[in-house]
Amino acid sequence: FSVMPGIAGEFADEGDKPQKWSLGIAGMFSTSPYKSYDNAILPVPMASYEGDRFFLKGLEAGMYLWKTQKHQVSIGAQYFDMSFKPGDTDDMQLKRLDKRSSTLMAKASYTYSLPYGMQVGASVSQDVLGKHKGFIGELSFRAPLLMKNNFMIFSQVGVKWSSQNVNDYYYGVSSK
């Protein structure tokens, strides 16, 4: 569940085509998969830019390879914020684990836009910094719950599949 109130506007680039941008804040809640590790409730500043060829959406930036009113195919990079710091847990066994770091993912996406602001999407991402050397696939459905002036509340549900490399890096425990 995300909430993104903010300001939005348009400006013209060299070709005099309006570009859409917005600034706001999103609320993120994440439960930790690690025992005795705090759940995260974070306000996240959000900047968004939507041009004919390029975009910035929160932690992702990229370019459109194909874009119509209903279809979008894009490639880009996204910050993957999963991490584990042994010092942040109260559990003595978890304190002995190695640190797990966030990474940068190369991403390819397809989005199909439905009526009333709904979207169906699919994406695949690959680690480019060599942290876990894995990939993630996602399918999602997004629908607006409330749209009024420059304020939007939407919900998104989906399925995420992570490769064994991703799972071993973030959740695996070696014999050491």
Side-chain angles (χ1 to χ4, degrees), residues 16-80:
D16 288 327
K17 291 183 179 180
Q19 310 297 306
K20 296 178 183 172
W21 59 270
S22 66
L23 298 172
I25 188 160
M28 296 178 70
F29 173 77
S30 176
T31 57
S32 175
Y34 303 109
K35 180 181 174 184
S36 300
Y37 205 78
D38 290 338
N39 295 327
I41 301 172
L42 302 170
V44 178
M46 297 293 285
S48 176
Y49 168 77
E50 186 75 33
D52 287 336
R53 298 290 287 163
F54 298 98
F55 65 86
L56 171 64
K57 298 175 184 174
L59 302 176
E60 180 182 1
M63 68 178 289
Y64 293 108
L65 301 177
W66 180 46
K67 184 178 176 185
T68 66
Q69 277 190 317
K70 290 191 178 227
H71 305 276
Q72 295 177 355
V73 175
S74 64
I75 57 171
Q78 181 175 22
Y79 176 69
F80 186 68

Side-chain angles (χ1 to χ4, degrees), residues 115-132:
Y116 309 109
M118 296 181 287
Q119 294 180 328
V120 176
S123 68
V124 63
S125 305
Q126 171 70 48
D127 177 16
V128 295
L129 298 182
K131 298 290 184 181
H132 54 70

